[in-house]
Amino acid sequence: MANFKLHNPYEPAGDQPKAIEALSKALSKGMRYQTLLGVTGSGKTFTMANVIAEHDRPTLVLAHNKTLAAQLAQEYREFFPENAVHYFVSYYDYYQPEAYIAHSDTYIEKEAMINAEIDRLRHAATQALLTRKDVIIVASVSAIYGLGSPEQYEKVHVKIQKGEEENRAALIRKLINIYFERTTADLEPGQLRAIGNALEFMPVNERALYRVSFDIDRVASIEQLDPVSRAKVAEPESIFVFPAKHFVTNEEERERALKDIKEELDLQLAKFKREEKPLEHERLKRRTLHDIALIRELGYTNGIENYSRHFDGRKPGEAPYTLLDYFKRCDKDFLTIIDESHVTIPQIGGMFAGDRSRKDNLVEYGFRLPSARDNRPLTFDEFETRVGQSLYTSATPGNYELEHSKRPEGQVVEQIIRPTGLIDPELVIRGVVEKDAYKGQVANFIEEAVKTIENGGRALATTLTKQMAEDLSDFLKKRGMKAEYLHSDVKTIDRIDILTKFRKGEFDILVGVNLLREGLDLPEVELVGILDADKEGFLRSETSLIQTIGRAARNVLGRVILYADVMTGSLEKAIGETNRRREIQLAYNKEHGITPKTIKKEIKDIAESMRSEHQKTVGDLLALDKLAYKDDPEAFIKAKREEMAEAVERLDFETAAIIRDELYELEGNGPKAKKSRKRKLLS
């Protein structure tokens, strides 16, 4: 049994007890599809935590963006502090896929910037699934992308046991065979170094350094060390070391795969010859033979994932291994929760078609073999067959969830009444009636935001485009207001940092696009301004409007201003549904004598687990040194440069790198400052 232990900070209330009972009974009966229609602020995550605890099964929680996934992971960790709750999202901070644009004859090479800390969290998630049952993984749609065989990943792990017969050279070879890299510098995850008669390495799944000492041909001791201070943390009797990469292939399998790749190349070259395509023939021949040579000599080549079908031994068209296969290996009867399902379900369904269109061009023009098409996300049908009992949660369920949940093997459970007694926010429409009564939507929003901020609250503004969000944020700053913008171009960790600072009151107004809609828990928000609310479309549909309105539903003073010159069908429906929910909650409050209270939620840095030790140290130093820098910037910078030079002289490169990155930020050369300058230049 998984043995989930729910840390219950409060008893279920409002509609929660009824929802927990209905969902749990249906799961026990084997019901396949269930939808929890829960309004914003009704505690859907707490309801799901109770269901998980009752059924004691490994659980996959899918979210539609990294920020929401991080927030959910933090909440589930608080509910299950004794169990394994992990975060699994794409490890790219920046990703430009390989592509070919035929009409302009433009080839775009793949570019990627991998976040090592998120990669570590991915390994921690998969290793938890292979070693225990009490696991909750909160994932983005990265869960449906190729990951490598769980069987191979598990099979080639290395066990190190104190007292066993083993010598240093043999252990180094074993670790290199599972993709560890040897270095003589400071260790990073997935690296090892030999020091005297000892071996030190850093696994990819945890922030820890291990030192294995040898007595001739025997393991004398195993020590777990703090990676920064090198203080001894523990002295385990044995440890299991998993591969440094998820794609694992032994030498025999690699040779078989290379033979298959060569055979496929010959077939495709013959096809191009028949079709009289000499350019495509020569291009494919050179690229593929170059890749084969690199894989044979180095075990890797840029774009190796395009040959994944051959390495996995899959048939043409067969689905790739994904995180779902790791779940099935953990427990075939795992539970799937799809959060904000009205957005997440269409996102899952749309991944395959976009990827296939791009790959077809690469294959047709000789940049890739046809098997590259099989390095892909799952189709929606494949996803459905790989998950079992599913729970969809949303304040505005989509057609898919409702249709499936209304079948005999499904049900819809409503969670309208909030335990806090909070009512859906007051709605104010500006423009339709009062066309001449205000000076414009931005001017009016500023006026209303000032009142809110003076009252100690925060404000959100939602725009239609990223550029509008950035421009409005800059405009507000010029007016002396503390504002920031948030959209999908902002890096994962930076997004979470911005939300944390917003909740702490380091700035008062957050401007964004659709990232301000689903699931974000911001109880300090008293005012939401929806600009251009009458522009019918995806961002101003009934569903989007209801979700955006919900951002003010966690505060007793919450109100929403809809700026619209005309009353659209989406506006009428969103206003009608909001008022219906207000009436239900008001009636419940009156019957039970409840006085609504703003949700009180501890402010935690949910990005903390995603930062490296280096980033944390730089951040801590910045916080300490900012005052000294402001007092005398030139003297401070000079002293710091001398300190950095001294660190280099004594070969303390880690300290030197920390001081260097601190100076980058203080002098305006850090990543955030560079991005800001780039944006200004582009505009």
Side-chain angles (χ1 to χ4, degrees), residues 184-202:
T184 55
D186 290 330
L187 289 175
E188 297 287 336
Q191 291 184 338
L192 63 89
R193 66 185 173 198
I195 300 177
N197 198 34
L199 172 66
E200 293 183 348
F201 65 91
M202 189 175 285

Side-chain angles (χ1 to χ4, degrees), residues 96-115:
Q96 170 61 60
E98 181 183 30
Y100 178 68
I101 304 167
H103 66 81
S104 61
D105 190 28
T106 304
Y107 172 70
I108 302 168
E109 195 165 354
K110 172 186 163 184
E111 280 187 72
M113 187 183 296
I114 291 176
N115 185 312

